[in-house]
Amino acid sequence: MGKVVIIGSSNTDMVIRSERLPRVGESVVGGDFMMAGGGKGANQAVAAARMGHNVRFVAALGRDIFGDDALRSYAEYGIDTAYIVRKDVPSGIALIMVDSHAQNSISVALGANSQLSYEDVLPALEGLEEGDILLLQLEIPMETVEAVAAYASERGALVVLNPAPAAKLSAELLSKLYLITPNQTEAEFLTGVEVYDLESAQSASSILRNSGVSR
């Protein structure tokens, strides 16, 4: 297998588990707190590294304790962090509340993720060739995603997009994708087809294939 390059977001998740979610203006006391690494890009990078792949991860981190901890964690997984950039803004943070029924409420501050530019990413793309894999998500600027996908596809790399959080995708971007991996909600957003069984999933898939996505 060729190189695996992942370009995307890095967040620190701060999670409180309590009996119920607070109503507007209410404080709920009690519960358990945990803090963990997150971000769709970082999650992909860690998963791929755990599977034994050589992973190059490109992300933007703030010059703060959260960025320092994230960088150290990725290195412990054996992820190549040489192309991660640091920005003079806070690192990405997600505040997550979860109740006893596993219902949640999440607020995300993208922070440095929102400043990851094509120019930041370009050095990590040098040497991409046919058969290499490039993974993308949508927690970084869309213009960066579009430029990176175009560059990689021109060099024969397999561009894989996790279209989350759901957003409108241009025909040009879709035509550069080897694979797109929407969940049920994202598939409906992208195609207008309500996905509730195998047949409707195949209908949504056909629309995406006809838009230019290879698989």
Side-chain angles (χ1 to χ4, degrees), residues 30-123:
D32 300 316
F33 172 77
M34 64 171 289
M35 187 166 67
K40 297 182 186 305
N43 290 343
Q44 287 183 338
V46 170
R50 284 177 169 174
M51 292 172 65
H53 297 294
N54 293 321
V55 176
R56 178 183 299 174
F57 182 38
V58 188
L61 302 173
R63 300 183 190 279
D64 52 25
I65 188 172
F66 302 112
D68 293 343
D69 287 347
L71 199 60
R72 185 164 45 249
S73 175
Y74 303 147
E76 290 174 354
Y77 282 108
I79 295 170
D80 179 359
T81 62
Y83 298 94
I84 287 180
V85 298
R86 307 298 292 266
K87 301 286 186 176
D88 292 322
V89 296
S91 296
I93 297 292
L95 302 179
I96 305 169
M97 294 180 292
V98 184
D99 69 13
S100 59
H101 301 288
Q103 297 298 310
N104 60 44
S105 180
I106 303 173
S107 182
V108 179
L110 289 175
N113 295 304
S114 65
Q115 295 190 9
L116 185 65
S117 69
Y118 177 57
E119 289 72 22
D120 290 329
V121 174
L122 192 55

Side-chain angles (χ1 to χ4, degrees), residues 132-202:
D132 290 340
I133 296 174
L134 179 76
L135 300 181
L136 295 163
Q137 327 79 39
L138 299 178
E139 288 183 329
I140 59 175
M142 183 64 78
E143 56 267 28
T144 303
V145 171
E146 292 175 339
V148 166
Y151 181 101
S153 65
E154 288 172 2
R155 283 151 182 79
L158 306 178
V159 182
V160 180
L161 175 66
N162 173 19
K168 182 176 175 58
L169 304 179
S170 69
E172 181 69 14
L173 174 58
L174 289 167
S175 71
K176 305 300 183 185
L177 302 181
Y178 169 75
L179 180 68
I180 189 169
T181 62
N183 63 17
Q184 180 179 3
T185 301
E186 292 150 5
E188 180 177 351
F189 180 90
L190 293 171
T191 67
V193 175
E194 183 181 358
V195 177
Y196 54 88
D197 60 10
L198 180 58
E199 183 177 355
S200 58
Q202 290 173 334

